[in-house]
Amino acid sequence: MLSASAMSPGRCAVASGSMSWLLLMTPEADPLVDQWRMEHDWSARYGVSAHVTVRTPFLEPADWPELPDAALQALIPLKGVRLARLEDRPGWLVVLIEPDERLREMTEAIGKTWPELPRHKPAFTRPRYHITVMRTQDPDARRRASEAIAPHLPMEVTGTELWATSGSQEPGLVRSVFAAST
């Protein structure tokens, strides 16, 4: 496991006004959610395909070159992420990952590696790991997406790469692939 002393202290992108995320990419989920994400999730328009957010906030892009690839490679033991069921939240439709213990362990390991980062999703006591299908206040759109996706769940997908992503809707996103499953 990577130790925090192995690199210079990182800065958190949320402190600079943008957001940052560490994402576990799940391309096998794209056929299930891509149509809806392209219409209703701005990150899809910037080339961010189906994914699970493993850590946010994360480091600023200026600190990414300092990250040792081998250590992050060890954080991708996820060969079977189970897309269990849909959850219709106010303004969001998501596919929940259940069970999510391995993702929690990954998030905790990242927090121990960079203890200077704020807590993962600090607004939530116990964040629910998920793939965002859409962000819209339109309940009819969420219903149509639910009807199209629900018959295909549960579904196993593979976490294939770990991406760091930073930015916002207006100026766009930057990203870097840190590790990939072998």
Side-chain angles (χ1 to χ4, degrees):
M1 174 55 63
L2 174 68
S3 71
S5 62
M7 61 175 284
S8 62
R11 295 165 290 149
C12 178
V14 75
S16 69
S18 65
M19 276 301 296
S20 59
W21 307 267
L22 194 58
L23 309 175
L24 179 67
M25 305 312 293
T26 55
E28 292 170 334
D30 281 339
L32 187 64
V33 300
D34 202 36
Q35 163 192 350
W36 309 100
R37 290 188 73 249
M38 288 304 287
E39 282 184 48
H40 300 283
D41 186 354
W42 65 269
S43 70
R45 293 189 293 273
Y46 287 102
V48 179
S49 63
H51 64 275
V52 179
T53 301
V54 175
R55 183 71 166 83
T56 189
F58 192 56
L59 302 172
E60 287 190 12
D63 292 322
W64 295 350
E66 300 292 322
L67 302 175
D69 292 336
L72 286 169
Q73 186 74 34
L75 295 175
I76 310 184
L78 301 174
K79 292 294 182 185
V81 177
R82 186 172 182 258
L83 308 182
R85 60 188 172 89
L86 288 162
E87 186 172 275
D88 189 358
R89 301 174 174 177
W92 298 62
L93 180 66
V94 301
V95 180
L96 293 177
I97 308 300
E98 293 175 344
D100 65 2
E101 286 78 17
R102 290 184 298 166
L103 287 164
R104 289 186 187 291
E105 290 168 5
M106 183 185 288
T107 300
E108 288 174 23
I110 293 163
K112 288 177 183 172
T113 301
W114 295 284
E116 69 275 11
L117 291 174
R119 194 169 69 87
H120 173 63
K121 295 190 175 185
F124 300 95
T125 304
R126 190 179 197 298
R128 304 291 307 270
Y129 291 85
H130 62 272
I131 293 175
T132 299
V133 176
M134 58 181 13
R135 303 168 201 226
T136 179
Q137 295 300 321
D138 182 353
D140 209 37
R142 293 193 314 271
R143 180 192 50 76
R144 286 192 310 275
S146 292
E147 289 172 354
I149 295 169
H152 303 283
L153 299 176
M155 175 184 184
E156 293 282 325
V157 298
T158 302
T160 60
E161 294 180 328
L162 200 55
W163 286 14
T165 308
S166 182
S168 65
Q169 188 169 352
E170 286 305 312
L173 299 172
V174 294
R175 68 174 178 253
S176 178
V177 177
F178 283 147
S181 61
T182 55

